[in-house]
Each structure stands twice: as structure tokens, then as C-alpha cells.
Amino acid sequence: MEISSGNKLIQLWISLSPAEIRGMNMLVHSIFFNRREDLSSLYAYLRKKEFPGCLPLERKDVHDAIFPERPYDDVRLRGTMSDLQERIERYLLLSHHESDTLNYQLAKVRLYRSRGLFKHYEFAQRKLDKMLEKQPERNADYYELAHGSAIEKLAHTSSNRRSRDLDLQPVADGIDRLFLIKKLRHACTQLTHQAIHPIDYDFGLLKLIIEQIPNLLHYRIPAVALYYHCFCFLSDSESSHHFQQFKSLFTTNAQKFSQAERKDLYLFALNYCIRRHNRGEANYTVEAWNLYRFALEQKLLLENGLMSRFTFSNIVGIAIKVGKLKWADQFIKDNHQLVDIKYRASNLNLNMARLAFARREFSDALPMLQQVDRSDQLNNLICRSLLIKIFFETNAIDSLYAQLDGLDQFLRRRDASEFHRKNYGNFTKFIRQYLALSDYENDKKMNLKKEILLAEGLSEKEWLLSLISQG
């Protein structure tokens, strides 16, 4: 019998950093947390192993290292492993609690107030107030802490029976403030999910109060105003006013939110811009590019030091759309190494090919496209559409029709998303219609132009319209 990587203790152990493993040493050797020698022995055994290369572990070897004088007992081994997992969990929770200085200080305030240690309480409360004042973030987490502090102040005053001195308003305001921020933030997430999946969410009480929010004093709080305008532009695709208000508030108040929350706010805005960009609204293509640049400056696009290859390609594509070819070239050179090494070379060739096409360097683009890994569906679609455009521009008619047929077959056979099926299906349809027109059929060209303009979610709309303009 073996202990594999699927074991819960092993999974938890592998997730620990070297510093956390060293910190565990103090816990397992402290009689306050642990008085069992078997747990110390199991900890020492695991610490000597090189994970994950040592896996799987022989259960008997592990048992013998912990209980060298006893016969093998699987129940005993399982119990020891389970108990060590519990100790590790306790250590991680304590470490997290102590590192969260504001919540830790609030816990001290509650402790002293509940024990009636008023001098200790007052000192801890003053310290908490100063810490909150210095806290740069003004998001829901901050206001929840401020609300907790207000509750403790009220409870302290109430316990001293000074009923005349009770000020109940800060707690009431805190409840409203927290509700608005949390409800609006979650509603924005619901709307973003709803735009992709066929789900009709109920926004509950928000429907009853949304129109009144700008009239409330809480609207002066950036977190409330930001999520209010975000909710409004996500729920109304024509709400340019709300988007501009959001953008102004976001650029001036970004530092009042955590890095993770800034990224969420940025993605809400970007998804809105991309939807309007896909409708052919060129001003929102520029907005999307500006948002990408803002996100790059704020370092919102990295996860563990890496950038998603899809994000990388989206940035290059938007930069090309707005005609920033030099910027795109420099971006590729400066940042291609941020893409996971598994996709780096293929992603580099794909985006250099897109840039070469934009510069009309068709002979340079073709060999780059041959180096792209087409196992990824989106890369495959981009490569196929680029080849179609290159063969059209170079008047390679036989190759052009072969690629059009190939893309249509690909869309019929593959499990493409509805958006991609519609987008690239319209792309091939409009090219075929254009090729079928003679030079003198101007009325039909104008009708085709109108049809292209009305088409939604057509990523190559600008290029297709340029064909009619040239013709």
C-alpha cells in the first residue's frame, strides 16, 4: 500500500513554503500545541523527503519511521497523519490571523471589552482607530473593520450604563454602507457571468434602491460610487455616461482597493469595452487599449509573475486595431518572456505574424504562422483568418478558397463557442459574398457594407469594410 500525491496531508504539505515548514517546527515541539511524539516523528520524516519526487511513499516505511518498535497498524498511521494535518491547519490559521494586523487588533479590542478590562480596552481601541486611519484601502474589508470597531465602542459605552451617551447612528450607517458595497460588488459579478452564460439573476433589494443611490450620502464613498456606476454600465450596454464616471473614479481611487479587487474592477470595465469593440465601436477599441495600458502600469495582469497567453494576444490585437504598431512591437519584445514557457514560442510567432500582416509584410508572416501550435482552438482560428487575409491581399485565389473551405469545415466539426462560430462564420460568408460581386455591382456592394456594419461580434469588421472601400 502506498501514500500518493492524492493524500490530503501530502497535498497540504506540498503547498507549504519553506518558511512555513520551518515555522511548523516550533509548533510540533511546543507542549502548548503538541505533546505527542508520533506527530513530531511524522513531521521530521516528511521534512527529510524531497517532494514531489519521493512520491509515492510506502505506508509501512512511514509507519516504521514513526513507530519503530510497533507492528504495522494502518489505523494508527491514518490517525497520526490526520492529526498532523489538523496541527498544520491550526498553524496556518494562527499565522494568517496574526499577519492580518487589523483583524488581530479588533480581536484584542473585543477580548478586553468582554473581560471588562477597560484600560486595556481603551488603549487597544485607540490603537485600532489609528491603524484604521492609516490604512490606505477603503474597500468593503476596511468598512467592515470600521463597522466592527463602531459596534465595540457602542457595546463599551452601553456596558458602562451611560445610556444618554449612546450614539447608535455610526452602527446604522455602517450596516447600510456595507450592504451597498457588498451588494453592488456581487451584482457586478452576477452581470458579468450573466453576459456569458444564459442565467437570469435576481438582484433582490437592489432593484428597489438602485435609482436612489446617487442621492445618498454613501454615494460620496468611492467604493459605493464605483460599484454603482459599474453595475449601471454592465446592466445597460448603451450607458456611456456611467462608464466615463466609473473610469474617472477608478483612475483616481485605484489605490483604495486591494490588488485583487483592482483587477476585478478593471476586468468589469474591460469586458464592457470589448463587447462594444466587437460591435464595431472604434472609440471603445481605444478605451480597451487605454485600460490595458493602465493595467500594465498597475501590474494587474500577472499571476505568479506570468501573463496569460490569451491576455498577451488580446493586448497585441487591440494595439494593432488602434494603429499602435510600434507600441505593439515593443510590447512583444519586452513582455513575451512573461508567457508560460510551454506556450511562449508559439505565442511569440503568432503575435509577430499578426504584426507583420498589419505592416503588410506578408512574406514574413507566413513562416511565422507555420510555427504556431494550432492545438489551441483560438490560435487555430486566428491563424486561419490571418492566412485567408494574406491570400486575399496577395491575390492567391486558389489558396484563399482552400482556406475558406477549411475554416468553414473546422467550424462545423469542432466544438467552437457560439461567439466564435458566429464571428468566423460571418467572416467567411462576407468574403465569399464580396468575391462573387463584379466591379460594377455598386448597389450590391453598398448592401453588403450595410450587412457588415450591422453584424454584431465581428472581429474583422474593419478589414472587411476596407475591402469595399478599396473596391
Side-chain angles (χ1 to χ4, degrees):
M1 293 185 292
E2 297 175 335
I3 300 173
S4 69
S5 59
N7 180 273
K8 290 196 292 184
L9 170 62
I10 298 302
Q11 287 181 336
L12 180 58
W13 184 275
I14 292 173
S15 76
L16 298 175
S17 68
E20 287 170 335
I21 291 175
R22 289 193 300 272
M24 274 293 301
N25 186 57
M26 292 184 290
L27 184 143
V28 297
H29 292 104
S30 166
I31 60 171
F32 180 77
F33 289 103
N34 176 45
R35 299 187 181 189
R36 289 172 49 183
E37 189 176 337
D38 59 331
L39 297 185
S40 301
S41 298
L42 178 55
Y43 163 79
Y45 177 83
L46 294 176
R47 193 171 182 184
K48 291 176 183 177
K49 295 297 178 181
E50 292 290 336
F51 289 94
C54 66
L55 295 173
L57 299 171
E58 287 292 334
R59 299 185 78 88
K60 190 173 186 311
D61 292 344
V62 180
H63 184 280
D64 291 347
I66 305 170
F67 308 104
E69 305 280 327
R70 301 186 187 183
Y72 179 78
D73 184 336
D74 194 62
V75 174
R76 183 191 298 130
L77 175 61
R78 288 176 184 275
T80 301
M81 293 178 68
S82 177
D83 290 344
L84 181 60
Q85 179 185 328
E86 186 272 331
R87 295 300 196 283
I88 294 174
E89 291 166 350
R90 186 186 300 182
Y91 166 74
L92 293 175
L93 288 169
L94 284 169
S95 298
H96 173 74
H97 183 61
E98 289 182 356
S99 65
D100 187 351
T101 53
L102 281 166
N103 268 304
Y104 189 72
Q105 186 63 27
L106 178 57
K108 285 171 65 176
V109 168
R110 286 177 178 147
L111 172 69
Y112 290 137
R113 196 266 309 158
S114 66
R115 287 176 172 267
L117 298 171
F118 297 135
K119 286 186 178 180
H120 298 73
Y121 159 81
E122 288 170 358
F123 179 81
Q125 183 69 69
R126 284 196 300 271
K127 185 175 180 180
L128 177 60
D129 288 343
K130 289 177 182 177
M131 291 170 70
L132 284 169
E133 188 179 341
K134 292 179 180 177
Q135 172 67 12
E137 294 175 7
R138 290 293 185 271
N139 56 3
D141 292 340
Y142 166 84
Y143 288 111
E144 190 154 17
L145 282 162
H147 180 57
S149 176
I151 288 174
E152 290 306 312
K153 287 176 182 177
L154 180 62
H156 173 65
T157 305
S158 178
S159 68
N160 286 335
R161 304 182 184 277
R162 295 196 298 267
S163 58
R164 289 182 307 172
D165 299 331
L166 291 182
D167 184 1
L168 302 177
Q169 194 60 46
V171 172
D173 291 343
I175 293 170
D176 288 346
R177 189 185 302 121
L178 270 175
F179 169 78
L180 287 170
I181 296 172
K182 289 188 172 186
K183 186 66 175 177
L184 285 165
R185 182 172 67 180
H186 187 67
C188 290
T189 302
Q190 287 176 293
L191 284 169
T192 302
H193 190 252
Q194 191 172 271
I196 303 169
H197 303 282
I199 298 173
D200 238 357
Y201 284 115
D202 180 2
F203 299 104
L205 295 176
L206 198 56
K207 294 181 294 186
L208 305 176
I209 62 170
I210 190 69
E211 292 182 2
Q212 298 302 319
I213 290 176
N215 302 322
L216 303 176
L217 287 175
H218 298 304
Y219 178 73
R220 298 177 185 177
I221 297 168
V224 173
L226 258 173
Y227 283 114
Y228 164 75
H229 289 294
C230 186
F231 176 84
C232 289
F233 72 67
L234 288 175
S235 55
D236 179 4
S237 61
E238 305 298 328
S239 53
S240 299
H241 161 71
H242 288 293
F243 176 76
Q244 294 302 328
Q245 288 287 99
F246 170 90
K247 190 174 69 169
S248 175
L249 284 164
F250 187 36
T251 52
T252 54
N253 293 281
Q255 299 306 318
K256 293 178 180 176
F257 298 87
S258 67
Q259 184 81 350
E261 200 167 352
R262 287 203 297 272
K263 185 173 182 178
D264 288 342
L265 286 162
Y266 155 78
L267 288 174
F268 290 146
L270 179 65
N271 289 337
Y272 173 76
C273 290
I274 294 297
R275 285 204 297 274
R276 298 196 68 165
H277 154 76
N278 287 336
R279 283 163 46 180
E281 299 181 53
N283 56 319
Y284 277 92
T285 308
V286 177
E287 293 282 11
W289 183 62
N290 287 330
L291 277 172
Y292 273 126
R293 289 195 303 156
F294 174 79
L296 287 167
E297 291 169 6
Q298 295 279 318
K299 301 189 186 303
L300 301 179
L301 302 177
L302 300 181
E303 288 285 343
N304 299 319
L306 295 176
M307 183 183 296
S308 157
R309 65 190 189 278
F310 304 114
T311 298
F312 186 96
S313 295
N314 287 341
I315 293 172
V316 173
I318 289 291
I320 290 172
K321 287 278 188 185
V322 297
K324 303 296 183 180
L325 304 188
K326 287 185 179 179
W327 187 93
D329 191 9
Q330 196 62 48
F331 170 80
I332 293 171
K333 290 174 181 175
D334 292 345
N335 297 285
H336 74 273
Q337 74 281 357
L338 295 175
V339 175
D340 191 312
I341 194 167
K342 291 186 293 186
Y343 312 109
R344 192 174 299 164
S346 178
N347 194 71
L348 177 61
N349 279 300
L350 174 65
N351 285 291
M352 289 303 294
R354 297 168 81 190
L355 188 57
F357 176 84
R359 290 170 167 165
R360 303 189 66 80
E361 298 166 352
F362 305 129
S363 59
D364 291 339
L366 285 170
M368 293 174 186
L369 290 174
Q370 293 173 353
Q371 303 301 313
V372 176
D373 177 11
R374 292 207 193 181
S375 61
D376 178 86
Q377 187 180 99
L378 184 56
N379 282 359
N380 199 323
L381 289 168
I382 293 172
C383 283
R384 288 176 181 273
S385 62
L386 266 176
L387 286 168
I388 287 170
K389 293 193 293 182
I390 289 171
F391 292 141
F392 185 98
E393 296 285 359
T394 57
N395 205 31
I397 299 300
D398 290 341
S399 297
L400 171 60
Y401 275 107
Q403 285 295 328
L404 287 170
D405 291 341
L407 180 50
D408 285 335
Q409 290 174 15
F410 181 86
L411 292 173
R412 284 195 296 270
R413 291 198 311 264
R414 296 297 182 108
D415 186 24
S417 70
E418 186 60 30
F419 171 77
H420 288 138
R421 198 182 302 280
K422 185 176 180 181
N423 179 13
Y424 290 97
N426 279 334
F427 175 61
T428 60
K429 180 186 76 172
F430 289 140
I431 291 176
R432 290 181 190 278
Q433 289 178 3
Y434 178 80
L435 290 168
L437 297 174
S438 69
D439 293 340
Y440 306 104
E441 294 182 293
N442 290 326
D443 289 345
K444 290 185 178 179
K445 285 183 181 179
M446 290 302 102
N447 289 334
L448 177 58
K449 181 178 181 179
K450 289 177 184 177
E451 194 176 349
I452 293 170
L453 283 168
L454 291 172
E456 292 189 5
L458 182 58
S459 56
E460 296 294 347
K461 183 176 290 191
E462 187 178 341
W463 182 78
L464 289 166
L465 291 171
S466 72
L467 303 184
I468 297 174
S469 299
Q470 292 168 13

